[in-house]
DNA sequence: CGTAATCGACTACATCTGTAAACGTGAACG
DNA sequence: CGTTCACGTTTACAGATGTAGTCGATTACG
């Protein structure tokens, strides 16, 4: 029904790490992605598998570059964050962002810096 | 290292639905849980499997009641929400709650009611 | 008492996920 | 020109998850 980045396909945690690398800098070769996600200590094979799966899920596109491929994110980071954070707020707090906020506040999960920024954002919105 | 509700074991989405039923009202029999999560249209067998897995994960405890069991949440809702929301904020927003908030704000995911509540909470915290 | 209903426990099985090796092919190098 | 690299593709496999059927014991009903 459309050729947009398929938002319906769920992206797993490991895949998300790959997406993050590509969101930070793209296009990248498989090797570069492997380096970029270095913290995970994945074998190159693993990274290739994840990239393939992401291509299948249409979250990443490829562009031939000589004998290899350059990978770029097709799914925008914003769209992904939007979907995921909405899912989470829905699932955990019945869709109430205020519920989430209340929880973070109660559990001391908010740093003073967070509070300042949030306050500033609120003022901005209310302006 | 402790006999507390095992926070380490991840709870899946389906399992979370069961936990929600138990958090809303407990103890419940397997049948009652099945009714409580009615929206999911699971067979009773499925609910029983999920309950078993939750017991294994030590997120739910049982108490014999004649020939059957009464199930109660062992893992507190607050603890679960805390863990999950933290995970999400870490994963998606590099640990910045303000980042999450900014995203929700930008994507128009905040209702006026949310804004009011958050503002009130902020004032409360700052008091 | 015998049989049916009820329960939890065990088993089943297709997907998805994490992780990676094996394979085939074309390019680069000696 | 043959062999080794470098890549993408295919295949593998264990563990988690979604979903549910089967089994054995126990209870309740007739």
């Amino acid at each position: 029904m459309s050729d947009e980045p398929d938002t319906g396909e769920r992206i797993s945690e490991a895949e998300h790490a790959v997406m993050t690398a590509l969101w930070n800098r793209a296009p990248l070769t498989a090797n570069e992605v492997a380096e970029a996600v270095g913290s995970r200590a994945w074998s190159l094979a693993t990274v290739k598998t994840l990239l393939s799966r992401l291509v299948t899920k249409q979250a990443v596109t490829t562009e031939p570059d000589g004998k290899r491929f350059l990978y770029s994110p097709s799914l925008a980071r914003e769209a992904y964050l939007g979907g995921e954070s909405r899912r989470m707020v829905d699932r955990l707090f019945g869709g109430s962002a205020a519920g989430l906020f209340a929880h973070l506040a109660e559990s001391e999960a908010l740093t003073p810096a967070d509070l300042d920024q949030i306050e500033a954002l609120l003022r901005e919105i209310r302006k």
Side-chain angles (χ1 to χ4, degrees), chain A residues 10-75:
Chain A
R10 302 278 302 122
I11 288 178
S12 78
E13 187 144 345
E15 287 161 359
H16 175 247
V18 169
M19 288 304 288
T20 297
L22 292 174
W23 280 325
N24 285 338
R25 190 161 53 88
L28 293 180
T29 64
N31 278 292
E32 291 170 330
V33 170
E35 280 169 35
V37 297
S39 55
R40 296 267 191 153
W42 279 324
S43 82
L44 181 57
T46 299
V47 174
K48 285 177 182 174
T49 299
L50 294 173
L51 280 169
S52 300
R53 289 180 181 168
L54 285 168
V55 168
T56 299
K57 292 182 181 178
Q58 298 182 55
V60 163
T61 52
T62 56
E63 167 194 2
D65 170 51
K67 81 172 208 165
R68 60 200 169 157
F69 280 157
L70 292 183
Y71 299 86
S72 300
S74 164
L75 173 61

